[in-house]
Amino acid sequence: MATFFRRMAIRYIFLTLFFSADIGFLGRVTSFGINYGQVANNLPSPNKVLELFSNLKVTKTRIYDTNPEILSAFAKSNVEVIVTVENQMLIQLNDPQQALQWVNGHIKPYLPDTKITGIQVGNELFTNGDTTLIQYLVPAVVNIHNALVQLGIDSNIHVSTPSSLEVLQESYPPSAGSFKNEISGIMSQFLSFLSTTKAPFWINAYPYFAYKDDPSRIPLDYVLFNPNEGMVDPNTNLHYDNMLYAQVDAVTFAIARLNFSGIEVRVSETGWPSKGDLNEVGATLQNAQTYNRNLLRRQMANEGTPLSPRMRLEAYFFALFNEDMKTGATSERNYGLFQPDETMTYNVGLAAFASSSTSSTSISLTSSATNTKAASKEFQSLFFWVFVCLLTSALRGFV
């Protein structure tokens, strides 16, 4: 166990050195992403959605299929789109020729006009302990990637899959993060693919579910990003003031336990329902507003997790609209930041990005980023030598 934490410490000292360098990564405000679900019969047209994105200055979205109307509507826009291979397609895509045909028909026709930046192969393939779907994951991602390479369109498109937190055997404290034994072999193969192709590991992370299941033990402020005492990981002494960051770092530790490093963990879905059934504790409009507003502020501040503080955590809000045709609990139909008529379900601060105040907002954010960059240049040399000293000290202590 001690050796494991030593390896982790060395790895993340190197990561801190890299991301503290002035390469432009932290010198600008990066756009957040929003999931664009379509399980509804009353949604605005893709052209209207693109207009909404443009007004809000949203430049990243994820859809749950390869809807040709959306991909066509988003052509020649500045919106980056992550598309999804439906779960039922995975078995078919285990055949390389079928994968090539799929890419030829669903991806290539829209390039380069539509900025397709990612292909998610399935969604939450491991649920309720069922390994039926996830066993097809690795051949499918390999075949999709190989098809992109064969067609010469792989340079700007990553291939991955979003997992739920059910893939973890342990997640608390974050340093105990580990994958479930029954899928560790598949995960090892999948991580090898991600490492080779430099693609991220995506996780659907919902602190709401943890709070709903145990509201008497989990502080509401901790899951809502409100000021709170937080928790300290006893193995790393890292302090966590919110559950989402703890969940992400648990995944990073699980990846490291399978002897992989340098794989970025991103949040493919996170959100909070504004309405729920009587037994869905915490599903209120006020909590949804607080969670998403606080997360938006942290996204615009380019925050990282305690384990990787200088690497901005990329997160996609769930979801753009309330979707009236979703089945299950009431909460499932009430994750939207917007109603289908494009009015806000609640105000999380997105109005600040609307076209009516675009100019002042843009200037404010640009000025902040410029000042940060100037300060970074001024003290870059000092930061570099401080980290060199820390690294040398760490290596001496671990050898």
Side-chain angles (χ1 to χ4, degrees), residues 233-290:
D233 189 308
N235 297 313
T236 62
N237 288 323
L238 292 174
H239 177 261
Y240 292 85
D241 67 356
N242 69 86
M243 180 175 285
L244 179 67
Y245 289 3
Q247 291 174 334
V248 171
D249 280 353
V251 175
T252 302
F253 274 103
I255 291 171
R257 273 196 164 75
L258 291 181
N259 296 314
F260 289 92
S261 61
I263 297 174
E264 182 183 354
V265 178
R266 299 179 183 176
V267 178
S268 39
E269 288 182 16
T270 191
W272 197 286
S274 58
K275 186 186 298 184
D277 295 321
L278 291 177
N279 63 343
E280 295 187 286
V281 180
T284 68
L285 189 145
Q286 181 179 352
N287 287 342
Q289 179 183 35
T290 301

Side-chain angles (χ1 to χ4, degrees), residues 58-76:
V58 172
T59 59
K60 295 181 180 181
T61 191
R62 170 182 171 231
I63 61 177
Y64 292 83
D65 51 22
T66 53
N67 187 318
E69 291 185 20
I70 294 175
L71 295 180
S72 297
F74 282 33
K76 299 187 184 300

Side-chain angles (χ1 to χ4, degrees), residues 2 58 86 107 118 144 155 162 170 204 240 258 290 343 374 381:
V58 172
E86 295 94 329
I107 303 298
I144 290 290
S155 59
E170 299 289 344
N204 294 345
Y240 292 85
L258 291 181
T290 301
T343 60
S381 178

